């Protein structure tokens, strides 16, 4: 079967939305549908529209594949993006029963002061940033075994499930080359640098502005942008405390509900 009409895309969007709502893994959708990247973004848009119809509100975007090594593994030369809504933000506790196989990644979050131009260079985009914050993105592929190809993951909102923000701070200069650690119950699980985010988090912001405009959702003042992971993702266990600390910016943290039986 190949994707030929909008009805088929609607069906795929419903399958992914239902999988997220019920925390039930599904098989890859691209193997039987021949889904293109273009149509995968259409499925993502349709899926998010279902959530907006239930009362959620768009808050911004998240970037994916901002690691050069991850790009090489996937055989691609461009980042991907997904949507963020207010229902995805958590402030204290993550309910693991609402997710399939959640993982946490430490990130940098931008809050925009103005709409960036689609082709604006990273250095110029510094003037579009109102504030920065340490952040954690919780990713959770809706596919069985966390296995997917490029079209699959795009359709699945770039695996985005939830996010946690630390304290916002005025943007006063470069945030490149900052040390980043992700700890679980006080023990370092992953460490890295903001340089891992496309060489400079502002480059990820520029890529996000370009992609969002290309697919009909240009960035605007007030939008939140998660720039991408600074380290590998860490699987989450019930009953644990997860914290991302970024040099000079402080930390973002949350707890996973339940009791760790590992």
């Amino acid at each position: 079967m190949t994707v030929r009409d909008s009805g088929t895309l609607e069906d795929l969007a419903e399958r992914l939305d239902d999988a997220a709502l019920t925390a039930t893994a599904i098989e890859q959708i691209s193997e039987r549908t021949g889904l293109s990247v273009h149509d995968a973004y259409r499925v993502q848009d349709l899926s998010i529209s279902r959530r907006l119809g239930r009362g959620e509100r768009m808050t911004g975007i998240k970037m994916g594949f901002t690691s050069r090594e991850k790009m090489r593994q996937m055989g691609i030369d461009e980042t991907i993006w997904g949507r963020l809504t207010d229902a995805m933000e958590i402030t204290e506790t993550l309910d693991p029963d609402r997710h399939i196989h959640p993982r946490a990644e430490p990130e940098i979050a931008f809050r925009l002061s103005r709409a960036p131009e689609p082709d604006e260079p990273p250095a110029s985009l510094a003037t579009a940033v109102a504030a920065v914050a340490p952040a954690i993105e919780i990713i959770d592929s809706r596919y069985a075994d966390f296995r997917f190809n490029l079209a699959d993951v795009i359709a699945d909102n770039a695996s985005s499930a939830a996010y946690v923000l630390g304290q916002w701070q005025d943007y006063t200069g470069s945030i490149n080359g900052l040390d980043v650690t992700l700890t679980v119950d006080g023990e370092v699980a992953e460490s890295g640098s903001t340089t891992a985010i496309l060489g400079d988090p502002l480059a990820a912001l520029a890529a996000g502005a370009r992609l969002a405009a290309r697919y009909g959702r240009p960035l605007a003042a007030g939008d939140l942008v998660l720039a991408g992971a600074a380290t590998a993702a860490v699987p989450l266990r019930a009953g644990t405390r997860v914290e991302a600390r970024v040099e000079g910016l402080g930390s973002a943290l949350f707890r996973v509900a339940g009791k760790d039986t590992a």
Side-chain angles (χ1 to χ4, degrees):
M1 180 180 70
T2 57
V3 174
R4 293 188 175 89
D5 56 48
S6 59
T8 302
L9 298 180
E10 288 274 11
D11 290 343
L12 296 177
E14 182 177 3
R15 286 186 63 195
L16 284 164
D17 186 47
D18 287 346
L21 280 172
T22 62
T24 303
I26 62 174
E27 296 302 314
Q28 289 179 308
I29 62 175
S30 65
E31 292 181 349
R32 291 189 301 163
T33 62
L35 192 69
S36 68
V37 167
H38 176 77
D39 281 343
Y41 274 117
R42 291 178 63 195
V43 172
Q44 180 190 122
D45 188 56
L46 289 166
S47 181
I48 293 296
S49 292
R50 293 170 62 87
R51 293 163 61 173
L52 299 181
R54 294 195 293 268
E56 297 183 33
R57 178 179 57 83
M58 284 285 296
T59 54
I61 70 169
K62 59 79 47 103
M63 298 303 297
F65 297 154
T66 53
S67 159
R68 300 294 186 189
E69 178 60 29
K70 190 67 174 180
M71 283 188 190
R72 285 191 290 270
Q73 291 174 6
M74 294 295 293
I76 61 175
D77 57 8
E78 188 171 61
T79 57
I80 64 173
W81 70 294
R83 328 294 175 95
L84 302 174
T85 75
D86 58 337
M88 296 168 69
E89 183 176 2
I90 60 176
T91 56
E92 294 182 357
T93 305
L94 178 80
D95 181 358
D97 292 337
R98 297 182 60 185
H99 304 283
I100 303 167
H101 25 221
R103 305 177 183 186
E105 300 176 337
E107 305 209 5
I108 291 286
F110 294 109
R111 191 173 66 213
L112 301 182
S113 59
R114 64 170 174 83
E117 296 297 326
D119 57 353
E120 194 167 351
S124 170
L125 277 173
T127 65
V129 178
V132 295
I136 302 171
E137 183 184 9
I138 292 88
I139 59 172
D140 184 28
S141 172
R142 267 55 72 165
Y143 301 114
D145 302 319
F146 221 102
R147 187 177 65 88
F148 46 76
N149 66 18
L150 182 60
D152 287 317
V153 69
I154 289 171
D156 188 29
N157 198 31
S159 296
S160 195
Y163 62 91
V164 183
L165 299 175
Q167 187 69 37
W168 287 107
Q169 302 180 41
D170 291 341
Y171 180 75
T172 57
S174 174
I175 53 172
N176 198 26
L178 302 180
D179 291 336
V180 178
T181 57
L182 186 68
T183 64
V184 178
D185 288 338
E187 298 292 329
V188 175
E190 291 288 343
S191 61
S193 166
T194 56
T195 305
I197 306 170
L198 277 188
D200 184 338
L202 282 176
L205 177 57
R210 181 174 63 252
L211 286 169
R214 180 188 303 171
Y215 290 99
R217 204 283 183 186
L219 295 176
D223 275 352
L224 163 69
V225 178
L226 294 181
T231 74
V234 172
L236 296 177
R237 304 189 313 271
T240 53
R241 180 182 185 274
V242 182
E243 179 177 13
R245 181 166 292 277
V246 181
E247 178 187 0
L249 294 182
S251 65
L253 59 91
F254 70 99
R255 294 184 181 275
V256 185
K259 183 178 181 180
D260 185 5
T261 57

